[in-house]
Amino acid sequence: MLRIAAMFMIILYHIIIHCVKPQLTDRGSMERLGNGLFNNPVFYKKLLLLDIMDTFGIIGNVIFILISGYFMCEKGKNINITKISKKLLCQLGFASVVLTIASAVCFRMGGGNTFLNLVNIQVFNSMSWFAGYYYLVILIAVLFLNGFLEKSDNRGYITFLIVVFALTQFGWTGTLADGLMPKLRILLNGVFLYALGGYLKKYEPLSKLRTYVFLLAIIITYFFVVLSAYNNTKNNIENYIRSKTEDIFIQSVSEFPNYSIIVIIIGVCLFEIFRRIKVPQNKFVNYIGSATFMVYLLHDNGFFYSIWDTQDWITLLYNNPYRFILKVSIWSSGVFACGTVVYTFYIILAKVFNKYKWILFKKHNI
């Protein structure tokens, strides 16, 4: 259930950052759609929706790493990294083929409309950065992290978590880490979240807190998200007025890195809330949950971005924020459904291949 919720949040987030925000801030997009409705030095409460939704995708990333650490940290070296590698690569390859074919077919069916961003097979090596990030965190866990954490007592485990967390949170050490290796700060954050997931499973440090505490923490955290958005907008307005420019005013929308303390707090709270939900096993929910990686691969690319960009999101947000929320939710649900259907075809083809692979491979007599 939490995987499904996290993936839905990620889709919402991608629609916001790859479509809605560009329509709000990109001059070319404004000219094409004629929707520069927010281009005034005014604080619009409606735009707070974008600041809030801008946290969703990063929270989803936090949740996925926490889940992996929760279930895999205790396995030590008994993680089949070969199986994980094959699973990720096969789904990545299948998604690349589907996107290459589907984008060309949609382009032809649409009479060659140029709004579509067609995909080529080289997307296999370039799409969905999270796949490589996730894989490297799991590989580190298999090679040494799980073994190290298994040998650590409670105090040693906490020390490790605090030290790694501090390295990612201090601005100077984070910048130093990225200077040593690009994106190292994000990788360290992934290691921290994975280890934290294992710690939550092993020691249950949050079990004494009541559920409403986590709900309250989420509300308070989002209060600061909203307040920060207000402060940023007011600063932007003051700078615009002081510059005495005749150019149009461009609104600002918050951005949150993967190591942001804001998204980590919300992600951990949501994780703990879902962990306490007691429901029986459901094969349908489990199946949808297993499709989330394919959903991620299928939608996070220029083809889907260009489809979303056919809609005028800014005018809708300006005129009716409630309809905006409804529409972006419906589109996200549709994307999720498409990814699940593609995953179903992937499973069917995999079963067919396993059944008839004798056609391609010779039998060896031993």
Side-chain angles (χ1 to χ4, degrees):
M1 289 173 60
L2 185 55
R3 288 179 187 273
I4 294 170
M7 184 50 61
F8 187 78
M9 293 172 69
I10 288 172
I11 297 171
L12 275 171
Y13 165 78
H14 282 152
I15 293 177
I16 297 302
I17 67 166
H18 293 298
C19 185
V20 182
K21 284 176 65 175
Q23 288 186 10
L24 178 70
T25 59
D26 181 68
R27 298 173 189 272
S29 179
M30 294 175 200
E31 292 177 2
R32 177 171 61 87
L33 297 172
N35 58 2
L37 300 171
F38 291 104
N39 296 135
N40 300 299
V42 177
F43 173 74
Y44 293 94
K45 294 179 181 178
K46 299 171 184 178
L47 292 179
L48 291 175
L49 284 173
L50 303 187
D51 292 286
I52 292 172
M53 291 181 179
D54 205 57
T55 63
F56 285 2
I58 314 302
I59 292 170
N61 293 343
V62 168
I63 289 172
F64 273 107
I65 301 295
L66 281 173
I67 291 174
S68 296
Y70 187 83
F71 288 107
M72 300 173 70
C73 203
E74 63 183 5
K75 292 184 178 181
K77 293 186 177 181
N78 296 322
I79 297 176
N80 192 336
I81 193 65
T82 302
K83 183 179 179 180
I84 293 174
S85 303
K86 288 170 61 178
K87 176 184 177 181
L88 297 180
L89 288 170
C90 287
Q91 291 196 36
L92 180 61
F94 188 78
S96 302
V97 171
V98 169
L99 287 167
T100 302
I101 296 173
S103 61
V105 170
C106 290
F107 184 81
R108 297 292 296 177
M109 290 178 63
N113 290 330
T114 56
F115 69 82
L116 284 180
N117 190 339
L118 276 66
V119 175
N120 64 66
I121 198 62
Q122 293 187 62
V123 73
F124 177 86
N125 296 116
S126 60
M127 71 174 177
S128 300
W129 71 274
F130 184 82
Y133 165 59
Y134 174 83
Y135 179 76
L136 188 53
V137 170
I138 302 302
L139 183 61
I140 290 172
V142 173
L143 293 176
F144 65 87
L145 182 59
N146 280 359
F148 169 77
L149 295 176
E150 188 178 15
K151 296 176 182 178
S152 301
D153 57 11
N154 188 15
R155 184 176 180 180
Y157 208 135
I158 291 177
T159 301
F160 175 80
L161 287 173
I162 292 175
V163 169
V164 177
F165 180 71
L167 287 173
T168 64
Q169 296 304 303
F170 292 129
W172 193 85
T173 53
T175 303
L176 178 63
D178 281 338
L180 294 173
M181 185 180 77
K183 308 299 183 182
L184 178 59
R185 190 177 190 178
I186 294 177
L187 178 60
L188 288 173
N189 184 66
V191 170
F192 163 75
L193 292 171
Y194 179 92
L196 179 60
Y199 186 79
L200 294 175
K201 176 71 174 290
K202 187 174 182 179
Y203 295 104
E204 298 188 356
L206 305 177
S207 59
K208 293 183 179 180
L209 294 175
R210 298 184 185 274
T211 303
Y212 76 82
V213 174
F214 301 103
L215 293 172
L216 185 61
I218 292 174
I219 293 171
I220 292 173
T221 305
Y222 269 118
F223 166 77
F224 283 103
V225 169
V226 169
L227 181 60
S228 297
Y230 173 82
N231 291 346
N232 289 337
T233 301
K234 287 299 183 180
N235 284 337
N236 200 20
I237 292 172
E238 287 296 318
N239 292 333
Y240 176 80
I241 293 174
R242 289 176 182 176
S243 66
K244 297 181 180 180
T245 180
E246 295 182 359
D247 203 355
I248 63 172
F249 178 77
I250 302 296
Q251 294 285 348
S252 62
V253 181
S254 303
E255 294 184 6
F256 297 87
N258 280 270
Y259 47 80
S260 168
I261 184 66
I262 292 294
V263 297
I264 291 175
I265 290 173
I266 298 173
V268 171
C269 289
L270 286 174
F271 179 86
E272 185 63 21
I273 290 171
F274 271 81
R275 193 181 70 85
R276 297 179 179 201
I277 298 175
K278 304 298 181 183
V279 292
Q281 286 289 332
N282 186 293
K283 291 184 178 180
F284 177 75
V285 172
N286 289 342
Y287 179 78
I288 300 299
S290 66
T292 51
F293 183 64
M294 182 64 77
V295 174
Y296 192 103
L297 294 174
L298 190 75
H299 85 276
D300 188 19
N301 53 79
F303 175 55
F304 270 82
Y305 303 162
S306 62
I307 293 175
W308 301 334
D309 201 36
T310 59
Q311 305 300 300
D312 184 356
W313 299 97
I314 297 302
T315 301
L316 181 60
L317 175 60
Y318 185 86
N319 293 327
N320 196 322
Y322 298 104
R323 286 186 59 193
F324 171 82
I325 296 173
L326 177 61
K327 185 174 182 177
V328 76
S329 299
I330 291 173
W331 275 67
S332 298
S333 300
V335 170
F336 203 119
C338 287
T340 305
V341 170
V342 171
Y343 178 74
T344 301
F345 279 112
Y346 168 78
I347 294 297
I348 293 172
L349 287 176
K351 290 181 178 179
V352 170
F353 175 80
N354 286 330
K355 186 175 182 180
Y356 296 102
K357 63 182 178 181
W358 56 269
I359 297 176
L360 300 174
F361 299 99
K362 297 179 180 179
K363 274 191 174 181
H364 291 281
N365 295 322
I366 300 177

